[in-house]
Amino acid sequence: MSAMNRPPKPVLNPYLAGAILGVVLFASFALTQGGLGASGAISRIQVSATALLSQSHVDRVGYFAAVGGGDRHALDHSSVYLFLGTFLGGMLSARLNGRMKIEVFKGPRISSWQRLGFALLGGAIMGYGARFARGCTSGQALSGGAVLSLGSWAFMFCVFIGGYALAYFVRRLWTD
Amino acid sequence: MLPLDINAELGRAGGNAVFFLIGAAFGATLELAGFGDSRRLAAQFYLKDMTVLKTMFTGIVVACLLLFLSSALGLLDFSQISVNQTFLWPGIVGGLIMGGGFIVGGYCPGTSVVSAASLKLDGLLFLLGTGLGAGLFGETVSSFSEFWNSSFTDRLLVSDWLGWSIGATVFAVTLMALGMFYGAEKTEEFFRSGKLSWQLKKPVYLAGAGALFAVAAAVWIIGQPDPLRRWELMQGRYAALLASRDVFIDPLEYVQTANNTGIKLLTLDLRAEAEFTAFHLAASERRSLDEMLDSRVAAPLAQLPAQGVVVLVADDEASAVAAWQRLKVQGVSNLYILDGGLRHWHARFAGRTLHGKPVDLSRPPAAVLEQFPKDAFTPKIKLATKKRSGGLCS
C-alpha cells in the first residue's frame, strides 16, 4: 500500500520520454518486423465480445468475420499480446510512480459525469476514425511515421488539423 | 541481420511473450511521459503544453534514425520491415475524425489503455468508447467500402513521393522536427510569460538537437545500400536457397503453376531482344539484368499479393542467379528460376502432341503434364505468407 500513498512523481521530460519511445519503437521493428499499435487489438477485443453475444452476427458482417468469423479466434493475434503488455506496463509504471489512483481527469468547468460522457463519446469517434484510417496514433502516426510511409504522414497532420479545428468549439471541456 | 521474425525464431508462445514485453515497455513509456492524463494531452490543442508534439516527434525521429542508420550500415534489411500501406483519402478522412475524437475525449487509443490501467475512469470510458466506435465502423463500412479501399499504394514512402533519396528525406524530416521543437519551446514560453526571445537557454537541448542533426547527416552521407551491396551483406540469409537449388523450378512445375488460376504468375525473360523475339514464353516480359537494380522495376514485384510468384528465365544460369540476388534483396518474396532455362524447356516439350496436334511451346496446357510420370519433378514453389505489410493495425 505504501506505493499507493506516495505523492505522484513528476513525469519525464517530454524529449527524454520521446527518445525512450523511439528506442522501444525501433526494438519493435527490429524484433518483429512491425511497429507498435493499440486500435487493432481493441477492435479484436470488440469482435470477440460481439461473438460472445452472437457468433452468427460476427460471421455475417464481413469486417468482423475477417478477424473472428467461423473458427477464427479474434484474440489469437500478436497485437492482443502487445495490448496486454501496454496495459500492464502502464499499470506497473503508474504504481511505481504513485499515480495509481481512481480519479477522473477533466477541465475545471465540467462535472465528472459530463466528463465521463464526453470521454465515451470521444472514444467512439476515435474508434470509428481509427478503423477508417486503418490505425491509430501509435499504429499509423508513430510507426508509419518512423518508416516514412506517405499515408501515415498525411494521416498524422490530419489528426492535428482535426483537433485544432474543433478545439475552439469544445473549449468549455478543457479550459478555465 | 535484423529484423528478426520473432514468431519464426521462438515459436508462437515465445513470439507472443516478446510482443507482450514490447507492449509493456510501450505502456510504461507512455505512462512515464504523463500520457495517462487527458488534461496534458488536450492542452496540446490549446497551445499551453506541447508535450504531445515533443514526445511524439522525438519518438518518430529517433526510431526513424535508428532504422535507417542500421540499414545504411548493413545491420538491418529495410525491405523486410512492415510499412503501413497508404490509402491516402481514407487516411485523411479517418485522421480528421480522430482529431475530433481526440479533443472531445482527451485521449487516443494507446494512451487511453495506459490511463485505464492506472484507474482513471475517463480513460476507461474512452477505451470502452473506442471499442464501440470500432464496432460501429464494422457495421457501417459496407455502405462506403469503395471509398474506404480507394487511393491505395502498398508501400509508398515519403521519399518516393518527393523523388528524393531516403537519406535526404530522413535528413529533411529531422530538420523539420527540430524546427517544430524550437517552435514548441517558444510557443510555451510565450503562453507562460507573455514574452518571447529567440534564445534557447537549455544547453542540453542544444546538445540533443546537435546529436540528432549529426546522425541524420550521417544517414544521408552514408546512403542506403544498393542491391549489389545488399547482396554482399545478406547472402548469409539467402545463399543456401540457391546452393540447395530450392528456388530452381522444373519446366513441368512452371506449366503447372501457369495453369493454376489461384496463382498470379509473373515471368521475366533476361535474354537479349533478338532471342526474345525469336521465341519466348507467352506470359513473359523481357527485362535486362541492369533493370533489376532499378527500384521502380523491383518495387511492384515486391508488392505482389501473397499468391504472386515471379519466375526468372535465362539461358545461362549465372545471369538468372544474378537477377535472383538483385530482386531477392529488394524484398521479392516468391522468387524462382526456371531450371535449365529454355534449353531444358525445349527438351521437355519439343515434339509433344496433344490430341494429334503439336503442343504450343510458348504456353503448354496443363494436359501435357499427364504425359510425364508423377515423380518427373520435385515441386519447389512454396507460397510465403507475407506479414510485411498491414502490420498490427489490421
Side-chain angles (χ1 to χ4, degrees):
Chain A
M1 283 312 286
S2 61
M4 294 187 77
N5 295 331
R6 261 183 241 154
K9 287 186 191 159
V11 299
L12 279 187
N13 173 287
Y15 299 110
L16 178 59
I20 299 173
L21 188 58
V23 172
V24 173
L25 181 54
F26 173 74
S28 176
F29 277 116
L31 296 177
T32 73
Q33 304 175 302
L36 301 164
S39 63
I42 296 173
S43 175
R44 283 174 179 274
I45 292 167
Q46 170 261 319
V47 170
S48 70
T50 310
L52 284 181
L53 298 173
S54 164
Q55 178 65 44
S56 66
H57 186 69
V58 169
D59 293 337
R60 208 165 46 242
V61 178
Y63 189 79
F64 299 152
V67 296
D71 51 6
R72 287 194 200 107
H73 294 286
L75 297 182
D76 183 22
H77 194 260
S78 316
S79 63
V80 177
Y81 292 87
L82 191 82
F83 175 91
L84 291 175
T86 309
F87 194 91
L88 279 160
M91 194 178 245
L92 191 67
S93 167
R95 190 169 165 85
L96 292 177
N97 291 290
R99 289 189 284 265
M100 191 73 168
K101 190 178 156 207
I102 298 179
E103 55 194 320
V104 177
F105 289 135
K106 63 180 187 67
R109 288 200 274 165
I110 58 169
S111 74
S112 290
W113 287 110
Q114 284 173 319
R115 166 68 186 126
L116 293 181
F118 278 107
L120 187 69
L121 174 67
I125 298 171
M126 181 63 94
Y128 197 90
R131 295 288 83 198
F132 208 117
R134 295 176 169 82
C136 58
T137 331
S138 6
Q140 274 283 8
L142 215 53
S143 309
V147 295
L148 302 177
S149 165
L150 180 67
S152 299
W153 278 87
F155 160 83
M156 189 174 357
F157 285 114
C158 287
V159 174
F160 278 99
I161 291 169
Y164 279 111
L166 203 61
Y168 177 79
F169 302 100
V170 299
R171 63 190 181 284
R172 211 177 81 81
L173 297 179
W174 301 109
T175 60
D176 304 324
Chain B
M1 181 178 233
L2 299 171
L4 304 180
D5 179 353
I6 207 70
N7 283 330
E9 302 270 342
L10 298 180
R12 280 303 294 270
N16 286 335
V18 171
F19 274 99
F20 177 85
L21 290 176
I22 292 171
F26 178 46
T29 310
L30 291 181
E31 207 285 331
L32 284 171
F35 285 2
D37 185 340
S38 52
R39 293 166 303 182
R40 180 173 287 108
L41 299 170
Q44 172 70 46
F45 295 100
Y46 298 99
L47 303 176
K48 289 193 178 129
D49 181 334
M50 308 295 269
T51 304
V52 173
L53 181 136
K54 293 181 198 173
T55 302
M56 195 170 142
F57 278 93
T58 309
I60 290 173
V61 167
V62 167
C64 177
L65 288 175
L66 286 171
L67 277 170
F68 289 107
L69 183 67
S70 349
S71 166
L73 297 175
L75 304 172
L76 177 137
D77 176 7
F78 184 67
S79 73
Q80 297 301 314
I81 293 284
S82 156
V83 171
N84 300 53
Q85 297 168 318
T86 290
F87 289 84
L88 193 60
W89 286 104
I92 285 173
V93 172
L96 291 171
I97 297 173
M98 282 177 68
F102 205 147
I103 194 63
V104 171
Y107 294 102
C108 61
T111 53
S112 77
V113 173
V114 169
S115 177
S118 56
L119 306 179
K120 311 309 171 210
L121 299 180
D122 54 327
L124 184 64
L125 265 289
F126 186 96
L127 185 56
L128 283 175
T130 310
L132 291 178
L136 193 62
F137 180 80
E139 302 287 351
T140 53
V141 61
S142 57
S143 58
F144 54 87
S145 56
E146 196 176 324
F147 174 74
W148 191 59
N149 289 307
S150 66
S151 54
F152 168 65
T153 319
D154 192 354
R155 197 179 167 99
L156 183 61
L157 302 187
V158 176
S159 50
D160 302 328
W161 178 65
L162 291 171
W164 297 359
S165 72
I166 282 184
T169 311
V170 169
F171 186 75
V173 164
T174 309
L175 277 192
M176 185 191 73
L178 292 177
M180 286 165 69
F181 297 153
Y182 181 77
E185 291 300 324
K186 291 297 138 188
T187 308
E188 285 180 354
E189 185 181 308
F190 180 74
F191 278 89
R192 208 173 292 140
S193 65
K195 279 180 260 167
L196 200 56
S197 73
W198 298 111
Q199 287 168 322
L200 203 55
K201 297 203 181 72
K202 293 184 181 155
V204 63
Y205 282 10
L206 284 174
L212 290 181
F213 183 90
V215 175
V219 170
W220 192 8
I221 291 163
I222 301 170
Q224 299 293 303
D226 67 8
L228 298 175
R229 167 97 181 105
R230 270 189 248 175
W231 176 255
E232 285 174 33
L233 294 164
M234 286 177 214
Q235 50 179 315
R237 178 175 283 193
Y238 298 124
L241 290 171
L242 289 169
S244 64
R245 301 195 72 78
D246 277 349
V247 292
F248 290 84
I249 62 164
D250 192 276
L252 298 176
E253 187 171 16
Y254 180 90
V255 170
Q256 192 184 52
T257 310
N259 288 291
N260 180 344
T261 48
I263 290 179
K264 181 175 164 58
L265 178 68
L266 257 152
T267 310
L268 304 180
D269 193 323
L270 296 155
R271 297 169 307 147
E273 185 150 16
E275 293 172 277
F276 182 81
T277 315
F279 173 81
H280 60 262
L281 302 184
S284 65
E285 296 168 45
R286 205 179 78 78
R287 284 273 183 269
S288 72
L289 198 49
D290 285 341
E291 283 176 294
M292 305 291 172
L293 296 172
D294 188 341
S295 65
R296 284 168 300 182
V297 172
L301 303 175
Q303 293 171 8
L304 288 176
Q307 70 276 21
V309 169
V310 180
V311 175
L312 301 167
V313 176
D315 273 335
D316 65 313
E317 196 165 296
S319 48
V321 165
W324 189 90
Q325 295 172 346
R326 291 172 186 194
L327 292 179
K328 196 68 194 169
V329 295
Q330 293 179 80
V332 181
S333 47
N334 299 315
L335 182 62
Y336 296 90
I337 294 171
L338 185 67
D339 198 359
L342 290 175
R343 270 186 259 278
H344 191 199
W345 178 271
H346 284 293
R348 282 288 200 202
F349 301 118
R352 301 242 162 209
T353 55
L354 266 177
H355 314 300
K357 286 186 204 143
V359 166
D360 179 353
L361 281 180
S362 74
R363 66 177 106 211
V368 77
L369 297 173
E370 288 159 20
Q371 301 181 2
F372 295 87
K374 281 261 183 304
D375 56 355
F377 71 97
T378 319
K380 304 280 180 63
I381 295 179
K382 291 186 203 74
L383 293 185
T385 48
K386 287 212 276 188
K387 191 190 150 280
R388 274 180 296 108
S389 51
L392 287 174
C393 290
S394 50

